[in-house]
Amino acid sequence: MKKYAIGMIGLGVMGKSLSLNMESKGFPVAGFDVDPKKRNEVREDFANTDNTVVESLSALIDALESPHIVMMMVPAGKPVDDVIEMIKPHMKKGDILIDGGNSFFKDTERRSEALEAEGFQFIGMGVSGGESGALHGPSLMPGGQESAYRRVESIFTAIAAKTEDGSCCTYIGPRGAGHYVKMVHNGIEYGDMQLISEAYFLLKSILNLRADSLGKIFEEWNRGVLNSYLIDITARIFRKIDPETGKPVVDVILDKAGQKGTGKWTSQNALDVGVAIPTINSAVEARILSAFKDERVAASKVLRGPENRFDDRGDVLIAAAHDALYASKITSYAQGMSLLRWASKEYDYQLNFAEIARIWKGGCIIRAELLDDIKQAFLQNPNLPNLMVHPKFAESLQNLQKNWRYTVSTAIQSGVPMLATGASLAYFDSYRSERLPANLLQAQRDFFGAHTYQRVDKPGSFHTHWEE
């Protein structure tokens, strides 16, 4: 009986695409899905490959080489726990179970510890790149027992995207480290997408630019420092015409953004760890605000914005919006990497930030030219406290800030919301400020709650009797 290299539970878009990718690299897959209809559909997709589809979990294990390697591509949360409980009776000690979904890292921590105690090996792996990435080469972020990763390393380095720096896969760290890094990746992705959307909306609102003109602008931007997957697809989006109306598709899409939770998890965890990520937080909040469509329509009839007229040249604003987007993008990555730095200490992940930047250079949604500079920055200084203080990025921000401020002030004066771009600039100004107004805040806390404060002229903790 033929034996297969790996089993795949969950044959949706991602599970099927990863299975085809693995088979094309010499690692045939035995697949299973609880949905008989999906099993039959995928069986047709596998028809001219060395992959197979089986009818039960016991048949899946029987079809695999020993020790068994089983990967799950199922929705996060309870479905993962359910599959683990169903597959465990069919597996032996030493077998490897892999969760390639978007699981919350604390769930992965719990599963990793429980499965290890029972003698199984467990990998929680972030997978980025969508359907195309899964099929042709994703960015992979595996965490868990390093011994387990080394046993599957050849499979994942083979199927991952490739850049001049090698395969976009590396061992991230113990337990939930892989899913933690994927969570932060998605938080940066939220920030990047919102910043791009704000630049588009500013130019559309103030300059009344049509989609075809915006497409040309973003195409031009993609040739320079903003070169990235998201800028590229944005330019392509503007060119797509809706066959029903003849209008650009972007103009017929309702302005209500969806989300699956990973951005929210990033914001929530940043509060737990105590790291400021205002660009990412604002991106999450912007999606939430967009969901209140009916309320916004009603409010637009009551709440009026400024009557300010834009009298400057359009090319000036376009150039400024470019610089503001790049500067804000730097701060978004700076916040994400800062969160990784502090979380690495908090959870003892021992993350390699240069390696993380390297594997994000290909396959994943946030792949961008900027990531090579980020990789180099952490190679030069693995203990860099914040990307913004690295000489290259500090110089860039210094050169960009005039246009950054011009863009944000123009948006404010025109009543165009730029929640994430404005937050990015405020983060920059806060981080570079030797003094912040927190002294008054501490005085207030001490006044009403006797919380005490520190002084600038001597050490210790102090309290003032304010009403004497």
Side-chain angles (χ1 to χ4, degrees):
M1 178 181 174
K2 179 178 178 179
K3 296 293 184 178
Y4 295 82
I6 185 170
M8 182 70 69
I9 300 176
L11 297 175
V13 169
M14 292 296 287
K16 179 185 77 172
S17 297
L18 285 168
S19 297
L20 291 169
N21 188 348
M22 290 174 184
E23 189 272 343
S24 72
K25 302 300 189 298
F27 301 98
V29 177
F32 173 77
D33 198 287
V34 293
D35 183 352
K37 182 180 178 183
K38 194 165 289 182
R39 292 201 299 270
N40 289 332
E41 290 172 353
V42 174
R43 189 174 280 111
E44 293 180 15
D45 294 323
F46 286 177
N48 296 316
T49 74
D50 287 334
N51 289 345
T52 190
V53 176
V54 298
E55 293 298 307
S56 67
L57 290 175
S58 60
L60 180 75
I61 296 300
D62 289 342
L64 298 181
E65 297 172 355
S66 186
H68 310 119
I69 302 169
V70 176
M71 185 170 179
M72 301 175 290
M73 290 300 295
V74 299
K78 188 175 182 295
V80 177
D81 289 318
D82 290 345
V83 170
I84 290 173
E85 290 307 308
M86 287 189 292
I87 194 68
K88 275 197 308 183
H90 304 286
M91 298 181 75
K92 297 181 292 187
K93 289 186 177 182
D95 286 353
I96 299 174
L97 192 57
I98 304 160
D99 176 12
N102 262 336
S103 288
F104 184 46
F105 81 101
K106 288 192 176 179
D107 287 339
T108 304
E109 295 270 334
R110 167 178 56 80
R111 292 166 186 148
S112 181
E113 292 174 4
L115 286 165
E116 185 173 7
E118 294 181 63
F120 301 107
Q121 293 192 299
F122 185 67
I123 293 172
M125 182 169 69
V127 179
S128 179
E131 179 182 3
S132 177
L135 184 60
H136 301 294
S139 176
L140 300 176
M141 294 152 259
Q145 296 156 316
E146 186 169 3
S147 59
Y149 170 70
R150 297 305 169 196
R151 287 170 57 190
V152 298
E153 184 175 15
S154 59
I155 299 175
F156 292 133
T157 55
I159 69 168
K162 307 296 187 296
T163 71
E164 71 281 1
D165 283 345
S167 179
C168 294
C169 175
T170 192
Y171 176 67
I172 298 295
R175 306 180 314 280
H179 276 140
Y180 189 93
V181 169
K182 176 55 163 53
M183 178 188 76
V184 175
H185 164 285
N186 284 21
I188 295 171
E189 178 185 310
Y190 270 55
D192 216 349
M193 293 173 71
Q194 181 63 27
L195 292 169
I196 292 169
S197 298
E198 289 178 359
Y200 140 73
F201 196 59
L202 179 75
L203 298 180
K204 177 179 172 63
S205 300
I206 294 181
L207 302 181
N208 296 311
L209 294 178
R210 292 158 49 102
D212 56 347
S213 298
L214 288 160
K216 291 175 183 176
I217 290 168
F218 276 83
E219 282 176 2
E220 180 63 32
W221 286 2
N222 198 45
R223 297 188 186 104
V225 293
L226 283 173
N227 175 261
S228 66
Y229 171 74
L230 285 171
I231 293 289
D232 175 53
I233 68 168
T234 299
R236 290 158 60 187
I237 285 167
F238 287 128
R239 292 198 301 266
K240 191 70 175 178
I241 301 299
D242 175 41
E244 292 184 26
T245 63
K247 297 177 181 179
V249 173
V250 70
D251 290 340
V252 299
I253 296 176
L254 185 67
D255 55 319
K256 287 176 68 173
Q259 54 183 317
K260 292 185 176 179
T262 47
K264 180 183 69 174
W265 292 345
T266 309
S267 293
Q268 290 172 331
N269 181 255
L271 292 172
D272 291 339
V273 176
V275 176
I277 55 166
T279 303
I280 296 169
N281 293 342
S282 295
V284 175
E285 290 165 354
R287 293 198 188 193
I288 293 170
L289 276 167
S290 76
F292 290 89
K293 176 66 175 178
D294 293 341
E295 289 187 28
R296 289 188 290 109
V297 170
S300 69
K301 297 176 173 57
V302 179
L303 304 174
R304 300 296 178 189
E307 299 297 330
N308 180 64
R309 243 182 66 194
F310 179 74
D311 294 321
D312 217 332
R313 287 172 21 212
D315 59 340
V316 171
L317 183 60
I318 292 169
H322 168 281
D323 288 357
L325 177 54
Y326 185 52
S328 298
K329 186 183 180 80
I330 291 172
T331 65
S332 183
Y333 278 86
Q335 292 162 39
M337 299 308 286
S338 179
L339 178 55
L340 288 178
R341 174 172 168 260
W342 286 102
S344 184
K345 297 176 182 178
E346 177 79 11
Y347 304 116
D348 193 25
Y349 285 157
Q350 302 177 47
L351 300 178
N352 184 324
F353 310 116
E355 268 291 274
I356 290 169
R358 182 190 69 78
I359 65 168
W360 285 350
K361 285 175 57 180
C364 72
I365 303 302
I366 65 170
R367 61 186 184 266
E369 185 175 297
L370 175 64
L371 280 159
D372 196 56
D373 290 335
I374 294 174
K375 182 198 76 171
Q376 294 299 331
F378 282 107
L379 283 175
Q380 293 165 17
N381 182 4
N383 297 313
L384 185 68
N386 191 293
L387 274 178
M388 296 190 298
V389 300
H390 182 270
K392 182 178 178 64
F393 292 114
E395 181 181 7
S396 293
L397 292 171
Q398 191 66 35
N399 294 333
L400 296 167
Q401 70 170 294
K402 182 178 179 181
N403 273 348
W404 198 5
R405 296 183 191 283
Y406 170 78
T407 300
V408 172
S409 62
T410 299
I412 292 170
Q413 290 166 6
S414 304
V416 178
M418 296 193 86
L419 204 61
T421 309
S424 300
L425 180 56
Y427 176 76
F428 169 76
D429 281 336
S430 295
Y431 195 80
R432 68 171 185 81
S433 294
E434 184 177 347
R435 283 185 66 83
L436 289 170
N439 54 324
L440 176 58
L441 189 150
Q442 279 301 107
Q444 292 168 336
R445 294 181 73 240
D446 190 57
F447 190 110
F448 65 69
H451 292 293
T452 73
Y453 54 85
Q454 295 174 292
R455 294 177 62 98
V456 298
D457 53 356
K458 53 186 174 181
S461 180
F462 299 89
H463 169 60
T464 292
H465 298 284
W466 296 96
E467 297 191 277
E468 288 182 356

